[in-house]
Amino acid sequence: MIRIVLALFAIASSASVSAHSFWLEPETHTPDPGTDVNIDFRVGDIGKEAAEWGLYWERIAALRLFSQQATTDLQTAVRITAPDKPGGVTLVAPSAGTHTLAFASNPSFSDFEAKRFNRYLDHQGLTAIADFRAARGLKSENGTELYARRAKALFQIGDKTTDNILTPIGQTLEIVPLANPFGFTKPAPMTVAVLWRGEPLPGASLMVARGGGEKGTEKVVKTDQNGETNFEYHPEDRYLLSVVWGEPAPNDTRADFFTIFASLTF
């Protein structure tokens, strides 16, 4: 009964989730200390027109700013989506250093017809779920999942870069830079790690959009056995990195699988 009710909601709210990335889009990643920075919540296909993501309190699991010396809860900075105004966050730029704004959503439900779900798994590189379905002869059955969002945006305040952004913050699925992008002065290879439940995730498909989300040029790179991958980084451009991963959810009666959409912008 629960799945039927949730499926009706999913048809109205998440029918196209399989093709969408989700990210935080600040007006600038390098604000002056003490200035206001407006941050939009965006969802869409990389390189195409993006939409405002409806920002409602019941969707928010956490919104925090991670700095070198403190972690700050920013839920009071949220502007809830209204009929005549998109939602977002206004961040007061903190003191000098490099900072991470991190968002986590509560899960939503989706129920896809079998062929569409199989295409979604193939498109997103969700091999753990695809292998599970194939091994149990489930490829002809609908796919039900709980999915959630994890997003990070990096900020550089002043000239002093700090290495706190190189430390994982504990997101279920997380993209972690292994070098501070604000320390680059010319194009060079940049390495990032993808973690699933705190452990390196090999074989994940990381989408790298140079130019940001809506205007980005997309490239897909795979993580190695250490959960790491690299790409050519141009420090004058905006970047959106996004990845999706999911696994069976045997202990949750609401859906067969649990999936996370994660992103990193800088």
Side-chain angles (χ1 to χ4, degrees), residues 10-88:
I11 291 172
S13 64
S14 61
S16 58
V17 67
S18 63
H20 283 176
S21 294
F22 170 83
W23 67 94
L24 305 180
E25 187 171 280
E27 54 190 350
T28 177
H29 289 274
T30 55
D32 294 326
T35 59
D36 289 348
V37 184
N38 292 316
I39 300 150
D40 295 328
F41 287 58
R42 308 286 278 172
V43 62
D45 296 323
I46 292 176
K48 300 180 181 179
E49 185 177 356
E52 299 286 346
W53 189 71
L55 189 57
Y56 309 110
W57 71 264
E58 65 271 22
R59 283 183 157 188
I60 304 170
L63 179 68
R64 300 187 179 98
L65 183 70
F66 292 81
S67 302
Q68 188 174 36
Q69 297 177 336
T71 300
T72 307
D73 183 359
L74 289 180
Q75 292 200 52
T76 57
V78 172
R79 299 188 311 277
I80 297 299
T81 297
D84 59 344
K85 190 175 182 180

Side-chain angles (χ1 to χ4, degrees), residues 6 9 53 58-61 104-110 145-150 252 254-255 257-260:
L6 290 174
F9 172 79
W53 189 71
E58 65 271 22
R59 283 183 157 188
I60 304 170
S105 80
N106 287 313
S108 298
F109 177 83
S110 69
E145 67 174 357
L146 294 171
Y147 66 93
R149 321 282 193 177
R150 301 290 185 268
D252 198 315
R254 295 173 293 175
F257 307 102
F258 195 92
T259 304
I260 300 286

Side-chain angles (χ1 to χ4, degrees), residues 100-180:
T100 302
L101 178 66
F103 173 78
S105 80
N106 287 313
S108 298
F109 177 83
S110 69
D111 184 349
F112 288 144
E113 179 271 331
K115 289 183 179 179
R116 185 180 178 191
F117 193 67
N118 293 334
R119 289 197 301 268
Y120 157 58
L121 298 180
D122 181 65
H123 176 71
Q124 298 289 3
L126 296 174
T127 54
I129 295 177
D131 292 347
F132 180 90
R133 283 167 58 84
R136 289 160 179 77
L138 302 175
K139 294 185 68 174
S140 61
E141 296 187 10
N142 280 21
T144 60
E145 67 174 357
L146 294 171
Y147 66 93
R149 321 282 193 177
R150 301 290 185 268
K152 300 194 300 185
L154 304 182
F155 295 89
Q156 178 60 43
I157 316 297
D159 296 329
K160 180 184 177 182
T161 59
T162 52
D163 288 340
N164 45 288
I165 64 166
L166 311 184
T167 300
I169 62 172
Q171 291 184 330
T172 311
L173 179 63
E174 184 173 0
I175 305 167
V176 182
L178 300 186
N180 191 321

